[in-house]
Amino acid sequence: MLEIKNIYKTFNPGTVNEKAALKGLSLTLEEGDFVTVIGGNGAGKSTMLNAIAGVWPLDQGQIIIDKTDVTSLPEYKRAKFIGRVFQDPMTGTAATMQIDENLALAARRGQKRGLKTNLSKADTEEFKSLLAFLDLGLEERLTSKVGLLSGGQRQALTLLMATIQKPKVLLLDEHTAALDPKTAATVLKATEKIVNKNNLTTLMITHNMKDAITYGNRLVMMNDGKIILDIRGEEKKKLTVEALLHEFEKASGVEFTSDSAILG
Ligand SMILES: Nc1ncnc2c1ncn2[C@@H]1O[C@H](COP(=O)(O)OP(=O)(O)O)[C@@H](O)[C@H]1O
Ligand SMILES: [Mg+2]
């Protein structure tokens, strides 16, 4: 479903700020793979997701989504294949619009009449059942302004909006990092439900190693612009935070700082 082939990206080449962020990164995801991504600050995790989304051109390498080579497609032309959720609950939804209006925009994104938000009864019923599935009580608040929701509710809604058109790839960049631990857990559960229900091919960056072990069927670790560890299936289920720290140190030669944010 997603093939990343030997990609390279250097920012500000030829200047004092030159930074090689991706150094020959390759990764292949099967349909329905739910991959958690960990790695130290500056490892290139967000850059990898930006490369998939087409935020800027690559220096080298290829990106293939569902057998389509998208390497030279600009970001807006890839958008229909991709759902994204970022860390900040304030982005991704329109605060001054109602929940149902936000969902209608997301459902009609990319269509010619996409800006009309007049809702049919069928739309309302569909949105209600999607929200009920999340189990956050939002199905009773369809006409509430999104600005009145909590951060967790907003992230859950953003997630629903990012997946309502069943993207070929779902990209989550620390989408629960700004939430308190309890809310983060709720949003992660909702994430898992949505991913499983739609069999979405997903990359989820997290700095929480426990979450990286708990969620998904596969875990990759990045360091210095490359993937240094790729663990799946039964082997992943048996992982511990200690084992991950050990693997990180072994593969990178760098001692992982015992940062509580990283350990979770
Ligand atoms: N648009 C950019 N311009 C310049 N440097 C960037 C840009 N995006 C990322 N970088 C640099 O690339 C490296 C990897 O960044 P990033 O992918 O954001 O790391 P992380 O693994 O923490 O998400 C960092 O050194 C970062 O400063
Ligand atoms: Mg990042």
Side-chain angles (χ1 to χ4, degrees):
M1 185 52 77
L2 172 68
E3 270 182 275
I4 303 172
K5 290 187 180 174
N6 199 31
I7 61 172
Y8 286 80
K9 181 68 187 180
T10 296
F11 293 107
N12 309 310
T15 74
V16 287
N17 293 320
E18 179 169 304
K19 174 71 205 178
L22 298 176
K23 301 182 182 176
L25 182 145
S26 296
L27 180 68
T28 300
L29 267 59
E30 304 302 326
E31 186 171 5
D33 262 352
F34 181 179
V35 182
T36 55
V37 181
I38 57 172
N41 275 336
K45 304 180 296 295
S46 297
T47 304
M48 173 171 72
L49 297 205
N50 285 333
I52 297 165
V55 174
W56 20 249
L58 294 173
D59 300 336
Q60 205 184 303
Q62 251 184 321
I63 301 208
I64 295 158
I65 300 176
D66 194 20
K67 300 187 185 80
T68 302
D69 188 335
V70 300
T71 311
S72 56
L73 286 188
E75 187 171 16
Y76 76 94
K77 284 195 178 162
R78 298 186 202 188
K80 62 172 180 276
F81 301 128
I82 294 169
R84 293 193 87 174
V85 183
F86 298 93
Q87 183 169 333
D88 184 356
M90 299 307 153
T91 63
T93 47
T96 57
M97 290 170 67
Q98 299 175 180
I99 291 181
D100 54 1
E101 292 167 342
N102 270 273
L103 284 167
L105 275 183
R108 292 168 202 175
R109 194 174 62 151
Q111 292 174 20
K112 281 252 150 58
R113 291 177 300 149
L115 288 176
K116 286 223 183 96
T117 55
N118 38 343
L119 289 155
S120 69
K121 197 147 182 260
D123 289 331
T124 303
E125 285 313 308
E126 192 208 335
F127 296 163
K128 260 195 181 166
S129 80
L130 286 172
L131 290 164
F133 179 72
L134 291 184
D135 215 8
L136 294 168
L138 291 175
E139 65 277 15
E140 304 304 330
R141 301 182 58 186
L142 274 179
T143 57
S144 293
K145 291 269 198 286
V146 166
L148 299 173
L149 302 181
S150 70
Q153 289 171 326
R154 249 177 114 157
Q155 279 307 67
L157 179 62
T158 305
L159 204 55
L160 213 49
M161 290 170 66
T163 55
I164 200 162
Q165 294 200 29
K166 300 214 177 29
K168 303 215 179 279
V169 183
L170 176 63
L171 306 175
L172 308 172
D173 194 344
E174 305 204 23
H175 71 305
T176 61
L179 307 172
D180 66 80
K182 192 159 167 274
T183 311
T186 307
V187 173
L188 281 170
K189 281 266 172 274
T191 305
E192 187 176 49
K193 285 179 86 169
I194 290 174
V195 167
N196 289 345
K197 176 181 155 199
N198 299 296
N199 195 35
L200 295 174
T201 308
T202 303
L203 280 168
M204 180 175 93
I205 300 174
T206 174
H207 61 237
N208 185 306
M209 290 210 183
K210 264 194 206 142
D211 290 340
I213 292 169
T214 304
Y215 293 93
N217 66 313
R218 190 172 163 194
L219 177 152
V220 299
M221 184 185 276
M222 285 187 70
N223 184 57
D224 195 23
K226 280 190 289 248
I227 287 173
I228 57 167
L229 198 67
D230 186 349
I231 297 174
R232 61 191 98 191
E234 287 307 308
E235 202 191 337
K236 176 172 182 294
K237 286 187 196 145
K238 285 187 272 175
L239 273 175
T240 61
V241 170
E242 291 69 30
L244 272 183
L245 287 174
H246 179 71
E247 287 295 336
F248 181 85
E249 285 164 18
K250 209 170 66 181
S252 67
V254 180
E255 200 171 320
F256 216 116
T257 47
S258 309
D259 183 335
S260 64
I262 290 164
L263 293 168

